[in-house]
Amino acid sequence: MRIRLDLAYDGTDFHGWAAQPRLRTVQGELQAALATLLRVESVAVVCAGRTDSGVHARGQVAHLDVEEPIDPAPLVRRLNGILPADVRIRRAVEAPEGFDARFGALWRRYAYRIADRPGAVDPLTRNHVLAWPRPLDLDAMNAASALLLGRHDFASFCKQREGATTIRTLEELFWVRDENGVLVGTVRADAFCHSMVRSLVGCLIAIGEGRRPVEWAGEILSAEVRNPAVAVVHAHGLTLEEVAYPADADLAARAVQTRAKRLDTLDDREACG
């Protein structure tokens, strides 16, 4: 039986999602809690997007397999009673046939938040919003963002991993100001390579400050080579907001298709270490 878990976490005190020896991670805490609850030696959990150190999640999705069928409904209350307060299970359901949290996803949506005005800097959100000392031009950042949309080789914005593709389809990238004056960037793609979102934001901040022209974003993208002038911004402003999946009838086909294309090449982690 496969169980789908929807969860959220504050990444401040975690060394990312993926379990690592002697380090506190989201996967490590979740697997330990599940092992305790299910009274087994170990449990393997697969997530939709392996967030890195300091990155938060409001809409993470994971799955686990159990040998004997169980009622997943009580898992929410019971797991939350074991897990630390910076990880919360929001939903636990029996996964439909063919569901795979990682390979079945259609897209992942992240948000990056920046407070670029003194009045928008809130000490109560300092672990989730980047405080920037200079004002940013929203229109310039949106104009530059439009140049990056579509299917491209994002090697200029990724930390290259041997054997991993850097071709991605960037479906959305835009900026708005919320009711508190905080700049919120929405970034949605089929998957993300290592450090991609943070590098995109670093490029757009340089344009928003007026240090670079709008066209610079397109020039960086076309080069397909990492440019040291593009800063990789801090992790704490980044949150995984949502993961989307196809209709139940299409889940198995989607997982097979994605795995065939990316099993050996895809690193769908938005890494921020």
Side-chain angles (χ1 to χ4, degrees), residues 109-117 120 129 136-139 141-143 145 172-187 204:
R109 177 171 62 86
Y110 283 83
Y112 197 94
R113 294 175 172 85
I114 306 172
D116 65 329
R117 301 172 176 178
V129 180
L136 300 173
D137 185 330
L138 179 67
D139 292 336
M141 292 174 71
N142 275 323
S145 295
E172 282 188 311
L173 178 56
F174 64 89
W175 296 82
V176 298
R177 286 195 186 275
D178 68 13
E179 64 277 8
N180 298 314
V182 173
L183 270 175
V184 182
T186 294
V187 191
L204 296 172

Side-chain angles (χ1 to χ4, degrees), residues 141-164:
M141 292 174 71
N142 275 323
S145 295
L147 302 177
L148 302 170
L149 295 174
R151 185 172 177 81
H152 305 286
D153 187 339
F154 284 92
S156 300
F157 297 99
C158 297
K159 291 182 179 178
Q160 187 68 48
R161 293 168 58 91
E162 185 177 353

Side-chain angles (χ1 to χ4, degrees), residues 147 202-204 206-207 212-221 227 229-230:
L147 302 177
C203 172
L204 296 172
I207 292 168
R212 301 283 184 174
V214 168
E215 296 77 18
W216 190 59
E219 294 169 3
I220 292 294
L221 177 66
N227 188 326
V230 177

Side-chain angles (χ1 to χ4, degrees), residues 211-253:
R211 291 187 286 113
R212 301 283 184 174
V214 168
E215 296 77 18
W216 190 59
E219 294 169 3
I220 292 294
L221 177 66
S222 299
E224 298 183 2
V225 176
R226 289 281 292 187
N227 188 326
V230 177
V232 180
V233 293
H234 295 282
H236 69 275
L238 186 61
T239 302
L240 173 59
E241 298 284 353
E242 182 183 9
V243 182
Y245 295 90
D248 289 357
D250 300 323
L251 282 168

Side-chain angles (χ1 to χ4, degrees), residues 8-10 14 24 29 79-89:
Y9 48 86
D10 181 331
F14 287 106
R24 186 173 187 258
E29 293 282 0
L79 277 175
N80 285 335
I82 300 172
L83 287 165
D86 49 3
V87 184
R88 292 291 90 179
I89 304 298

